[in-house]
Amino acid sequence: MLQVGIVGLPNVGKSTLFKTLTKKQVDCANFPFCTIEPNVGVVEVPDARIDKLVEICKSQKRIPTAIEFVDIAGLVKGAHKGEGLGNKFLANIREVDMIVHVVRAFEDENVVHVEGKVDPRRDIEIIELELAMADVGTVEKRLDGVRAKMKAGRAKDLETEESALAKIFAALQAGKMANTVVLTEDEEKMIGDISLLTRKPVLYVMNVGEERTILPLSNLSTEAMAKVEGEIEGVAAVSIPISVKLESEIIEMSPEDQVVFLRELGLSQSGLDRLIAKCYELLNLITFFTAGEKETRAWTITRGTKAPQAAGVIHTDFEKGFIRAEVIGYDDFVACNGEVGARDTGKLRLEGKEYVMVDGDVCHFRFSV
């Protein structure tokens, strides 16, 4: 299951966001081998399509796709040297697929800021410097090993790896994120197995006051927001404004009241749903479905996945013995009121091993044992 680590300085609303998210936690019985620890929450990815498929198929069971959120202990200046929970924090975050960085953008005299005053740009730089410094050691060790091997003979692969690592090492020493470094395709391949904190996708969540929830991010403050609006050394940073306090109140409402309340604010989705969907998008993921009377289930794959590999997400045997995929586009499935109608009107397609899955595909996979 995909993991998203929630990070930030103390008192920025990070743990409140996590607690609010876990109130949307799905039934973990639907996800085998999923052990939930106190700081982990499995949260449904919002997708109205699955409900429509359940309705059409009269499915007995509904299993959404989900993301695992991990609440990681508050980071403080000097964490890479062992300050605060330091190394424990950094070890936890190395395991996640992406990072949600909660940044305080609200004023509240009753909530002390660990650095004295609210300054989003400074806070972002503190966290990013700590992550960069933690990565320096990892890259330096790998670089030393590569250079030692090169003394025995300069192989092309080693030269390519050395080039990539040297570029990243220079950026990290300057306090920059590794994802600001532009690498060639060959260099990317050579360092694909190295787990760096600063190469993970990052979503910045600007924790704003309740009154600013629906304003454009550019209205939240002045130049302090520039860093999270896409000006991180040429990397397109992604950020969304959320009032964590307001979201914690919304989640306590009935589903009906939530809809009415959000409509009054002029919003189609809650901030939590936007956050979850944005994580899914940043990880370049899409959803396909299997639908029937017994159950309708959403499955997560990376964009560009071919049919046999998608089948393998359901069961490895499906990929090994893949014969073909019976595919109906979501819109066709709904318009034809299910598989029978789609088959009768020629909307059901037979696709082979080279078929690239499309978001929303409703599939049956044929395979041999």
Side-chain angles (χ1 to χ4, degrees), residues 301-333:
I301 54 174
T302 304
R303 192 176 299 280
T305 298
K306 292 183 178 180
Q309 288 69 50
V313 172
I314 299 174
H315 198 289
T316 53
D317 287 348
F318 287 19
E319 181 177 357
K320 291 174 184 174
F322 180 89
I323 298 173
R324 67 177 183 272
E326 297 178 358
V327 182
I328 307 168
Y330 171 77
D331 290 339
D332 290 334
F333 194 96

Side-chain angles (χ1 to χ4, degrees), residues 16-30:
T16 303
L17 175 62
F18 174 77
K19 289 173 186 174
T20 306
L21 277 167
T22 55
K23 290 182 179 175
K24 296 172 72 70
Q25 186 157 307
V26 298
D27 181 2
C28 295
N30 286 331

Side-chain angles (χ1 to χ4, degrees), residues 243-313:
S243 168
V244 175
K245 183 174 183 294
L246 182 62
E247 293 296 324
S248 67
E249 295 169 0
I250 291 174
I251 201 69
E252 299 295 342
M253 301 177 184
S254 68
E256 296 77 17
D257 287 345
Q258 287 184 35
V259 171
V260 173
F261 185 73
L262 290 170
R263 189 183 298 137
E264 289 175 352
L265 288 178
L267 300 172
S268 59
Q269 276 187 310
S270 71
L272 292 186
D273 284 350
R274 285 189 291 117
L275 164 62
I276 297 164
K278 185 60 75 174
C279 289
Y280 202 70
E281 177 188 318
L282 265 182
L283 289 168
N284 199 28
L285 303 174
I286 62 172
T287 300
F288 75 90
F289 301 94
T290 50
E293 188 177 337
K294 184 177 179 181
E295 72 172 34
T296 288
R297 182 162 186 163
W299 302 89
T300 299
I301 54 174
T302 304
R303 192 176 299 280
T305 298
K306 292 183 178 180
Q309 288 69 50
V313 172

Side-chain angles (χ1 to χ4, degrees), residues 143-154:
L143 191 55
D144 288 346
V146 169
R147 285 173 174 166
K149 290 178 185 176
M150 289 175 72
K151 290 178 181 177
R154 299 186 71 85

Side-chain angles (χ1 to χ4, degrees), residues 50-68:
I50 192 171
D51 296 313
K52 188 63 179 177
L53 293 176
V54 167
E55 178 188 328
I56 290 171
C57 298
K58 297 180 172 55
S59 306
Q60 297 170 25
K61 199 171 184 180
R62 170 190 180 277
I63 305 178
T65 190
I67 292 180
E68 193 170 274

